[in-house]
Amino acid sequence: MLKLLKKKDFILFLFIVFVSLIISLRYPRFLTLSNLGDIFKDTVILIIVAIGQMMVIITAGIDLSVASGIALTGMSVGLLNQHYPGIPIPLIILISMLIGGALGSFNGLLIAYAFIPPIIMTLGTMSIYRGFVFVLSGGTWVSAHEMTDGFKAISGGHVLGIPNLFIFAAIIIALFAFFLNKTKTGREIYAIGGNELGAKYVGVNVKKIKYYVYLLSGVIYGLAGLLWVSRYASAQNDTAMGFELQTVAACVIGGVSIMGGSGSVTGVILGALFLGIVYNALTVTNVSPFWRMAIAGFLILIAIIVNTIAKKRTQYMMIKRRVF
Amino acid sequence: MDSNISSILSSKSSFICELREIKKYFHGVKALDGVDFRIRPGEIHALIGENGAGKSTLVKILTGIYQPDSGDILLDGKKVSFPSAHESQLQGIAAIHQETSMFPELSVVENIFMGHPIKKSNNISLDWRAMRKKTKELLDRLGIILDPESSIKNLSVAERHLVEIVKALSLNARIVIMDEPTSALTMNEVEHLFNIIRQLKKEGKAIIFISHKLDEVFEIADSYTVLRDGHFIGSGRLEEVSMDELINMMVGRSVNQMFPKIEVELGDVVMEVRNLSKFGVFNGISFKLLKGEILGFFGLVGSGRSEVIRTIFGIDDFDSGEILLDGKSVKISDPKVAMKMGIALVPEDRQLQGLILKMKIRENITLPIIDRIAKSFFLNYPKEVEIAEEYGKQLDIKAASWEDAVQSLSGGNQQKVVLSKWLATNPRILILDEPTKGIDVGTKAAVHRFMGELAEKGISIIMISSELPEVMGMSDNIIVMHEGVITARFKRDEATSEDIIKAATGLVKVE
């Protein structure tokens, strides 16, 4: 496992261990297997969506529509399950990804081919998609007793003792780590973010790849929408409110450059886990609720600073090694 | 000796600005080696030299951006120093740069008074009325017709230059430096600019005029100073010197010894370009490229050289004309098509166009051929390592590992990465745009040697360069462009630097 961690990620890893140890001083049960399992379960969706977000940020873009996309897909599949309980689960999963893909595709089309700045476009769709949630639901929500057991088991169930959520996470992580590192398109995604003009000069189809990146982000948050609604057994109008900022934070903590061109799946997983640990710890250690947000923000800043220093250090070491 | 002393004594009163024995080093490399420069009020003084001669360094010392390592700066005969650009501005020196540094969204008035606004008597609020009035006065004084309220982004390049000049006047500048002010202007605009420069002269301003275009220098300037390789070569009144003498002073070295070009037997026509035209950019470009040939393109900035090759490589499109490969007409719609046909372009700006700095050396080298070496959709890592090693070694890239990020390399080694990534495409035709710009002498020689070896292997090379010695030393044939047309063609042994400069400045039209 340690071998998998790159050097700069390793320092973030150490920092997470350090923070966890400090928390366990005050709350010994924090470091038990069951609590860690809970943290991971709470963080899985964040990890999945942050990986999509990371891909977008690597191309020097941003996707602010992820939370609204989660809510809209979640509401759609929730309603679908409520009114047509007969639809088989695998088909529901497929539908959630199709809806998400359509939402992401709309972002991608206008960003890549109409040159609308990503932050403007996704800020717009953030509002549009959230608006559609209300239109669809008519202001009400789908609650637990209106969902089938099979639907709730998508996130809640186990296979061979392993929670389904973990299996979804493992598949997404493996798939995208492979996609980004071992495929042509993955390499070209990094190239675009690193230097768009330079990528054009070597014949990279910049527009097409930008489109794909938003499309994929959509597919991912579509699936995440389904997982979310299934896990909490309710589809609400304010599902995942503000979640887009958490995905961006996970990326930044994990060392993804907001200017594009660099970032790794391992880093993002660690970034998301760090967020999960902080939120969990603040709840279980009985920190005054009035203080929670401020402390969380403070810890996030420290994590980013630690990672920035680690990054600078590896860069410096590389330059020092330089042979003239 | 006596006359020398008296001239120094008299100079005290008559020179507004004097630079004596200025030396400047960058990391041990001499940029200026004992340069003298003197200018009187009401004088237009041309600063002349090839690229890299030290003109911009001198300007930057005068404007306080660089500090000289030794030597004196005198204003009105008094020794001064400019620890900052602001200090130089306060002393009445204003520079108008090629790339103007303005605020495109703000108005003419706002730009002119940026940094030194007129305030109302309460010393807090800004007196826009006074600033508008002052702007109108200055515009009228110079006979410039321009709306003070229009945004800079709506102005032409020429008009922006004029605004910069007005800004210099609003600062009460006594010395105005103009760095290639005409490079982006049309004939009429140049004439207008010259009238304004003459007006400034009448008002007693000292003007330092930097230009590659010697015809313009002779038209507008009174005196000259020539620099070459950081040395002071000579200065004097322009009426006492001929164009040829001036060119000799600028070039002044036997270039053929520096570039040991390997003689290569030239083969058949590989590429032919017929009457390639793009409205307003270039017109009627025709040439043939032979197997194993190095074809040099010479021209000043803005002559259209880079645009022609960008078009050939499929980055830009064109209006009319034809490109033939092996005698067959081809359509090159984008860089991927060009690469498939065996054309590679090493662009001019390696950081902006040539490299993905954050990526590894290996990844940069294999990026153009990623389609070719990938197993369908998946990357082929061992093959990538193999190719990176092969070309990295061939070009002698100095790096601790091929897995290091390119941004950790020195400039010369970065340029080698650019070269190797295009060589890895295995081109038949290699286009090099300023292949040795901004790299050290050692790497430069390596690049030149390498070009010779490639030509020997039968690769045809188009080399664009602003450095005359390089073009003359490396090319089998030389094409000179000026304002979008080809003005001269030379065979290697027929070319003289004088003729090339004349053609490049538009003094002769051979065709």
Side-chain angles (χ1 to χ4, degrees), chain B residues 12 39 59 136 225 258-259 288 397 465:
Chain B
K12 267 200 171 156
I39 187 167
V59 168
K136 274 215 183 83
T225 294
M258 274 179 60
F259 303 91
K288 285 176 184 164
I397 298 172
S465 175

Side-chain angles (χ1 to χ4, degrees), chain B residues 309-321:
Chain B
I309 56 127
R310 278 170 61 93
T311 304
I312 293 173
F313 195 59
I315 297 169
D316 298 340
D317 48 7
F318 55 95
D319 297 329
S320 63

Side-chain angles (χ1 to χ4, degrees), chain B residues 21-79:
Chain B
E21 283 288 313
I22 298 286
K23 289 187 183 170
K24 179 73 189 168
Y25 298 84
F26 292 109
H27 310 294
V29 180
K30 245 179 265 166
L32 290 177
D33 190 13
V35 170
D36 293 326
F37 182 84
R38 297 186 292 191
I39 187 167
R40 289 186 171 86
E43 175 183 339
I44 302 173
H45 194 119
L47 188 57
I48 306 168
E50 284 186 283
N51 288 333
K55 292 168 299 182
S56 352
T57 313
L58 195 70
V59 168
K60 281 177 180 159
I61 283 176
L62 211 46
T63 49
I65 294 167
Y66 293 156
Q67 312 308 319
D69 291 323
S70 71
D72 297 327
I73 306 172
L74 286 80
L75 279 187
D76 302 318
K78 274 192 281 281
K79 238 173 106 168

Side-chain angles (χ1 to χ4, degrees), chain B residues 34 52 104 125 179 184 212 241 349 375 387 416 420 424 426 437 450-451 493:
Chain B
S125 45
D179 192 357
H212 274 112
V241 70
D349 188 325
K375 297 170 186 158
I387 287 174
K416 285 181 184 172
S420 42
N426 210 359
K437 189 178 169 187
F450 198 69
M451 284 170 64
D493 38 14

Side-chain angles (χ1 to χ4, degrees), chain B residues 145-204:
Chain B
I145 301 161
L146 208 62
D147 178 8
E149 295 304 323
S150 61
S151 304
I152 292 295
K153 66 176 177 201
N154 297 330
L155 303 184
S156 71
V157 179
E159 287 168 329
R160 288 176 202 201
H161 274 297
L162 299 182
V163 174
E164 287 266 18
I165 292 173
V166 173
K167 178 168 187 177
L169 288 182
S170 79
L171 283 160
N172 287 320
R174 298 184 300 152
I175 302 170
V176 180
I177 304 168
M178 296 186 180
D179 192 357
E180 297 276 355
T182 62
S183 61
L185 305 190
T186 65
M187 292 281 254
N188 287 335
E189 289 168 339
V190 169
E191 211 32 64
H192 189 202
L193 179 73
F194 281 4
N195 285 332
I196 286 163
I197 293 177
R198 287 188 191 105
Q199 174 67 30
L200 294 176
K201 176 186 157 94
K202 247 184 244 161
E203 292 178 12

Side-chain angles (χ1 to χ4, degrees), chain B residues 438-455:
Chain B
I439 61 179
D440 59 285
V441 184
T443 313
K444 210 166 176 171
V447 169
H448 288 148
R449 203 164 42 240
F450 198 69
M451 284 170 64
E453 287 167 20
L454 290 176

Side-chain angles (χ1 to χ4, degrees), chain B residues 253-312:
Chain B
R253 66 191 137 182
S254 82
V255 290
N256 290 325
Q257 291 155 6
M258 274 179 60
F259 303 91
K261 161 94 170 68
I262 306 166
E263 286 305 323
V264 175
E265 191 77 19
L266 300 185
D268 299 334
V269 176
V270 178
M271 175 197 262
E272 188 180 348
V273 171
R274 284 186 194 156
N275 263 319
L276 205 63
S277 300
K278 180 173 183 171
F279 182 75
V281 185
F282 50 80
N283 192 14
I285 303 294
S286 302
F287 64 87
K288 285 176 184 164
L289 181 67
L290 308 179
K291 189 166 192 263
E293 179 183 7
I294 298 181
L295 178 63
F297 264 75
F298 185 79
L300 305 172
V301 176
S303 60
R305 307 162 305 171
S306 298
E307 287 77 2
V308 169
I309 56 127
R310 278 170 61 93
T311 304
I312 293 173

